[in-house]
Amino acid sequence: MNKIINRQGKALAIQVDGLDHAPVIIFSNSLGTDHHMWDEQAAYFKENYKVVRYDTRGHGQSDVIENSTLANLGEDVLDILDALNIAKAHFCGISMGGITGLWLGINAADRFESITVANSAAKIGQTEAWLTRADQVEKHGLADLVKTTHTRWFSNQFDYQHDALAQRTIQSLAATSTQGYAESCRALAYADMRDDLSQISTAMLVICGEKDPVTTIQDGVLIHSQVQNGQLATIDASHLSNIECPEEFSQIFTKFIS
């Protein structure tokens, strides 16, 4: 991986695959994961696109940054595009990456050919719950979350124990910086795009997991109903639908961006 320096002077780890002069896709990971959660999609798209993945601040090999906000998460995407001299890209984010996409659709629409928001919401969870989780993680670490994460990330029908990428993704949570995780929780606590969705005119695909207990179909329908140019798709999966159903996810995304 390479690193770029963002506008706050902090390092963000990036991985670039595919074709140099092809259309660009940038993938944004969920809370507690890293860029590897998009391995299947990177392999799928690199034959026809330039594929950019990155570790969200405080995750993977990217620096932990204190007092992070949703705006900071969006600005990191713009800083990556600028560092790579990319004028416009297709953005695809899941969960935390998805709400980052909503912020980008409002604040930097001119930088994106399209925005895909997967397994996300305009307001994810409750403020107090996020703040409590941040405090608990800082005090006690991530071990308890790691033990139960499969119940939120994957459905009962998915054999996550024998799926190499699923196991690697669970281990990425175990390896995530506790401070980095907590900072992201606090950013999500105050991230609320519900009143701004109608401003989004960029072509947007909303992907929902039919078995997602974290960000529900209703959350996706709300986004789709408010944005100006949206499409809605559902996948028979839980929260990390791109890992549980990688081929279906990639095919839906391909049809949308092409």
Side-chain angles (χ1 to χ4, degrees), residues 16-26 45-52 84-90 113 257:
V16 181
D17 299 288
L19 308 177
D20 280 341
H21 301 292
V24 179
I25 301 170
I26 183 164
F45 286 101
K46 68 180 183 180
E47 300 302 321
N48 296 296
Y49 292 86
K50 182 173 187 174
V51 179
V52 179
L84 297 176
N85 295 311
I86 295 169
K88 297 189 82 167
H90 297 282
E113 302 285 357
I257 63 174

Side-chain angles (χ1 to χ4, degrees), residues 72-88:
N72 294 144
L73 299 181
E75 289 165 352
D76 285 347
V77 176
L78 301 178
D79 291 345
I80 291 168
L81 295 180
D82 288 345
L84 297 176
N85 295 311
I86 295 169
K88 297 189 82 167

Side-chain angles (χ1 to χ4, degrees), residues 37-164:
M37 75 168 299
W38 298 108
D39 281 354
E40 294 276 2
Q41 283 71 43
Y44 185 96
F45 286 101
K46 68 180 183 180
E47 300 302 321
N48 296 296
Y49 292 86
K50 182 173 187 174
V51 179
V52 179
R53 293 174 288 162
Y54 70 102
D55 293 341
T56 299
R57 55 171 59 200
H59 292 65
Q61 298 179 42
S62 291
D63 285 350
V64 174
I65 309 175
E66 294 182 359
N67 303 314
S68 294
T69 65
L70 178 60
N72 294 144
L73 299 181
E75 289 165 352
D76 285 347
V77 176
L78 301 178
D79 291 345
I80 291 168
L81 295 180
D82 288 345
L84 297 176
N85 295 311
I86 295 169
K88 297 189 82 167
H90 297 282
F91 177 89
C92 179
I94 196 163
S95 194
M96 179 170 67
I99 195 171
T100 300
L102 295 179
W103 185 92
L104 291 167
I106 294 165
N107 294 280
D110 60 316
R111 301 300 299 273
F112 298 96
E113 302 285 357
S114 72
I115 294 173
T116 294
V117 175
N119 298 86
S120 194
K123 168 67 175 172
I124 304 174
Q126 301 301 316
T127 299
E128 287 305 318
W130 283 120
L131 296 177
T132 298
R133 185 189 293 191
D135 291 342
Q136 290 176 339
V137 165
E138 285 183 332
K139 290 178 182 177
H140 306 295
L142 285 160
D144 287 343
L145 282 175
V146 173
K147 290 177 186 175
T148 60
T149 191
H150 65 276
T151 64
R152 297 180 297 278
W153 284 1
F154 307 117
S155 69
N156 291 333
Q157 71 188 18
F158 179 58
D159 187 8
Y160 70 93
Q161 291 179 316
H162 293 93
D163 185 284

Side-chain angles (χ1 to χ4, degrees), residues 18-36:
L19 308 177
D20 280 341
H21 301 292
V24 179
I25 301 170
I26 183 164
F27 287 108
S28 182
N29 58 281
S30 63
L31 176 66
T33 68
D34 60 21
H35 75 283
H36 284 296

Side-chain angles (χ1 to χ4, degrees), residues 7-18:
R7 65 190 68 188
Q8 292 176 286
K10 300 293 186 177
L12 301 174
I14 62 170
Q15 175 70 43
V16 181
D17 299 288

